[in-house]
Amino acid sequence: MLVKLFIIDIVHISGSSMEPTIQNGKAVVVNKLAYGLVKPFGSTLMCAWNTPKCGDIVIYMHDNRLVIKRCTATSLCPLEYSSDKGYTLRVNNVDYPLTEEQFESMKAFSKVPEKMILAIGDNYTDSIDSRSYGFIPVYNILGKALCN
């Protein structure tokens, strides 16, 4: 029980937001010690010793549900927006599609706020992620996916 609470957990993926990297129904091993010590039965870290890096697949709570997404940008990473041919967000030379609503709510941010990350599903067109609900505080990230 202690191992599952604090060290390693296995989560089953429900949904297609991380396809093709992680398929719906697959099990993923999560390193709960990757970024800090998770508060038992909570959705935050008691103490942190590391932060996610771009490319990490992270686990966090959103709307009382466990969510798995890719860390696309970290604290203070620049963000560029365009509305020329549809709405897009450019991060680290990759363009992500935005809806008009997402564009309007995000365009005020020229960079990722301090101690936050931008988390986006690999299946950008079918993912509800930071583009819809905002940046994720680093202390809310509960672990890192070890395998997929």
Side-chain angles (χ1 to χ4, degrees):
M1 176 100 160
L2 288 175
V3 170
K4 182 175 175 56
L5 276 175
F6 297 108
I7 301 170
I8 297 284
D9 198 0
I10 297 174
V11 297
H12 294 276
I13 304 305
S14 174
S16 61
S17 71
M18 284 302 292
E19 289 180 354
T21 307
I22 304 172
Q23 302 294 317
N24 182 27
K26 294 289 182 179
V28 175
V29 176
V30 176
N31 177 359
K32 288 186 146 184
L33 290 175
Y35 307 117
L37 189 60
V38 176
K39 189 182 293 184
F41 308 106
S43 61
T44 61
L45 295 176
M46 288 192 296
C47 65
W49 45 70
N50 205 354
T51 58
K53 305 203 180 2
C54 285
D56 287 357
I57 298 175
V58 297
I59 310 293
Y60 56 92
M61 294 294 287
H62 177 71
D63 283 345
N64 294 319
R65 293 186 60 196
L66 205 54
V67 177
I68 184 166
K69 303 290 179 197
R70 186 173 302 277
C71 175
T72 306
T74 57
S75 293
L76 307 177
C77 179
L79 305 172
E80 300 171 34
Y81 303 92
S82 174
S83 59
D84 292 342
K85 298 176 183 174
Y87 299 100
T88 59
L89 165 64
R90 178 171 274 241
V91 182
N92 298 321
N93 295 320
V94 178
D95 290 329
Y96 300 95
L98 298 173
T99 65
E100 183 177 1
E101 184 179 322
Q102 291 168 338
F103 178 81
E104 292 300 326
S105 69
M106 289 189 74
K107 72 179 181 180
F109 296 94
S110 61
K111 54 186 152 186
V112 176
E114 200 167 348
K115 298 183 180 175
M116 305 278 245
I117 68 162
L118 180 72
I120 298 179
D122 287 358
N123 184 359
Y124 330 135
T125 57
D126 200 26
S127 179
I128 298 171
D129 48 42
S130 285
R131 296 171 296 169
S132 297
Y133 50 73
F135 301 100
I136 308 303
V138 171
Y139 64 83
N140 280 0
I141 298 170
L142 304 177
K144 175 181 177 180
L146 291 179
C147 56
N148 47 23

